[in-house]
Amino acid sequence: MFLDPFGQAVQQRWADAALTVAFEDLDPVSAFPVPPGRRWGPGLWWSATTGAHVVAGSNAMRAQLTVLDRDPLVTGLAGRPVRLLWRDQRGQVRSWVPQLFARYTDGTALLADCPSHAEAGRERALQAGAVVAAACEEVGWRYRRLLPLESVLAGNLKWLAGYRHPRNHGRPGLMEAVLAAFAQPRPLIEGVAAVGNPVEVMPVLFHALWRGYLRAPLDVALHERVQVGPGARVPGRSAAVGGTPGQDHRGRGSKAPQRAGRSARRGSALAAA
């Protein structure tokens, strides 16, 4: 079940919906809960991948969005765009709403939950996850419970995410100068000093690290002497691989769904309604 472009609920066979519906374009099928007494709650994440906002329900989910938003193979992101319904062995209707949806360049997708700790949701979450995983495998997608990132990695990604907006690309020629300064690995502060005023150069450097044009170890806290060198991506060119080392979030499978144009997909959704 999902919401069509007019906000009306649509229920459709999973195999058909996975092939025809652009879930990355849809609003949440249900709201994220607001835990009483907590210092955090649902909010919006501005995605550098799509240039639009993604609803995020928790800090754990926002942390996973930083990983997916850096992955050059990701083309679309959405929060809670679909509810899966099925009957259990006793014939009772069950349902689950995965927290996160990501679309990849090959047409496959990822459905994911972002628990705050390994035991979150307990048995019900694990049982529902197994059903969703089987449904995803059927259409060549992937389901994952994305466990919290290690604290240093999470902190580094949060810092770099602050420079994800294209405005941090800098004035004409500055990004090229920054990349040239780190054509060979060197301490961060030395390369910055070689380019010019750190106040102007630092945001461009951090944007290059976010985009993958440059690379630095993210399992240690970023500091002025950290080694920075060429990344896997080139501005204006898609990378063959991407993402954060050790974080495999791609939806892999032998069957890559064939996606129709947006108008055709929405027409299909309305017809199903």
Side-chain angles (χ1 to χ4, degrees), residues 30 53 59 79-80 94 113 124 211 224 262-263 270:
S30 64
H53 285 101
N59 287 334
R80 307 194 85 177
R94 305 295 185 187
D113 286 309
R124 179 172 179 266
R211 296 286 295 171
E224 65 178 10
R262 178 176 297 187
S263 60
L270 294 175

Side-chain angles (χ1 to χ4, degrees), residues 28-49:
V29 72
S30 64
F32 283 95
V34 180
R38 300 289 181 88
R39 296 182 61 184
W40 54 264
L44 297 175
W45 169 268
W46 184 83
S47 168
T49 298

Side-chain angles (χ1 to χ4, degrees), residues 74-85:
V74 171
T75 61
L77 293 165
R80 307 194 85 177
V82 60
R83 178 187 299 274
L84 279 76
L85 302 99

